[in-house]
Amino acid sequence: MPAPERVPPGPVTTVPAEPAPAGSVTALLTGGELTVRGRIAEASNAVLHCTVAGQGRSAACVYKPVAGEQPLWDFPDGTLAQREVAAYEVCAALGWELIPPTVLREGPYGPGMVQLWIDQAEEEPADPGGAPEAEDHRPGPVPVGRLLALADAERPAPEGWRAIGLAEVPGGGTALLVHADDSRLRRLAVLDAVINNSDRKGGHLLTTADGRLHGIDHGVTFHTEDKLRTLLWGWAGEPLPEEAVAALARLATALGEEAPLTSRLAGLLTPAEVTALRDRVTALLASGTHPVPGGAWPAIPWPPV
């Protein structure tokens, strides 16, 4: 691994995701012996594929050392690793298992984030429908997985899909970018609004063979300004589902001044970021609707997948 690319502005505090019961996944990730197996080369920051082992158990995991983080002008405070752990904490407080177990700990290259590895299911891409007739030269659907697809730009989003926006396709045409009308994605859209996720790309969505959905890569979150940038705009402006309102109410309680979650977040985020988090939860509960793009920040990340 090359020399550190970023020196954190202060000490990195190891904050457990929660008091980890003996034998739990978080206990293994926190206290097990971490062994680096390789590096994920396409990542913009240092991302290491590892195994963690202890007390007769082992698991594959991802280790992102703080020393391998690239500096970001718009996220000058804290570290990507700390925000990844904070996102896991908040997701758990909502009662949703959308983010794999994630901890902050020491590793072979210093402190960093360690997250359970998710084996993505091999899936045949889903067809969003709406394919044009053979003599029609308009662009047809281009599935990019079971959750995202490109459909005919001149037709409404096919049943079971939600429109995101228009996208250029090879050959100079235009297609409609859509995502599945899926309750798992809808929860993730609410989570992204809560943590102010500025980078929800299609490649950050992992599905497993048992049908679970996991979101990964939450390092650019919790900014005090509105920076929500996501592919999951299909429900923008619509009422929040009842289960989301109940989850937000639980989170609001968990973010009380003296609450354990607040104490843990204090070791991961700045006081201003925690205050902004509370404000976003309050605003979502007050509006009762999914947010809409604000206009001051690009609404969709690039590249989107």
Side-chain angles (χ1 to χ4, degrees):
M1 180 177 174
E5 298 167 345
R6 176 180 182 184
V7 177
V12 178
T13 305
T14 301
V15 182
E18 60 184 35
S24 70
V25 173
T26 52
L28 177 63
L29 294 174
T30 301
E33 181 179 357
L34 196 61
T35 302
V36 176
R37 301 299 183 186
R39 181 170 182 171
I40 300 175
E42 61 268 23
S44 56
N45 297 290
V47 181
L48 305 178
H49 184 229
C50 302
T51 55
V52 61
Q55 298 185 341
R57 303 178 66 206
S58 65
C61 61
V62 170
Y63 165 45
K64 299 182 181 180
V66 171
E69 296 180 4
Q70 297 279 3
L72 298 172
W73 66 269
D74 53 343
F75 283 84
D77 298 317
T79 66
L80 305 182
Q82 288 170 306
R83 288 190 287 271
E84 292 237 36
V85 177
Y88 169 70
E89 287 275 5
V90 170
C91 185
L94 284 164
W96 294 336
E97 297 181 350
L98 293 171
I99 299 179
T102 310
V103 303
L104 194 67
R105 59 162 288 176
E106 285 289 333
Y109 298 105
M113 180 278 280
V114 174
Q115 185 176 81
L116 185 68
W117 179 270
I118 299 299
D119 286 318
Q120 188 167 11
E122 294 292 334
E123 294 183 303
E124 289 297 324
D127 186 347
E133 300 296 331
E135 67 273 12
D136 190 340
H137 297 292
R138 293 175 294 179
V142 182
V144 289
R146 291 201 176 276
L147 300 175
L148 298 171
L150 295 172
D152 192 333
E154 298 184 21
R155 302 177 183 180
E159 184 177 356
W161 295 83
R162 293 279 181 149
I164 303 169
L166 298 176
E168 293 184 1
V169 295
T174 302
L176 181 65
L177 182 62
V178 296
H179 65 68
D181 191 0
D182 185 298
S183 61
R184 302 168 302 170
L185 281 183
R186 194 165 190 172
R187 293 185 198 106
L188 198 60
V190 174
L191 172 64
D192 284 344
V194 168
I195 65 177
N196 199 14
N197 191 353
S198 69
D199 195 32
R200 175 61 71 203
K201 298 177 180 177
H204 300 167
L205 306 174
L206 305 179
T207 53
T208 59
D210 61 0
R212 295 189 182 189
L213 172 69
H214 296 276
I216 60 170
D217 287 347
H218 299 100
V220 283
T221 50
F222 295 104
H223 203 286
T224 56
E225 300 173 8
D226 179 16
K227 289 186 178 289
L228 182 59
R229 189 166 59 174
T230 175
L231 287 177
L232 305 180
W233 289 115
W235 300 281
E238 294 189 9
L240 293 167
E242 290 184 7
E243 66 146 344
V245 173
L248 289 167
R250 288 194 297 270
L251 178 58
T253 300
L255 287 171
E257 290 290 345
E258 304 298 327
L261 174 62
T262 302
S263 298
R264 295 195 295 276
L265 291 177
L268 301 167
L269 305 172
T270 67
E273 287 169 338
V274 175
T275 297
L277 168 62
R278 287 198 190 98
D279 291 344
R280 288 191 297 272
V281 174
T282 299
L284 285 167
L285 285 169
S287 71
T289 60
H290 286 271
V292 297
W297 178 257
I300 297 175
W302 187 262
V305 179

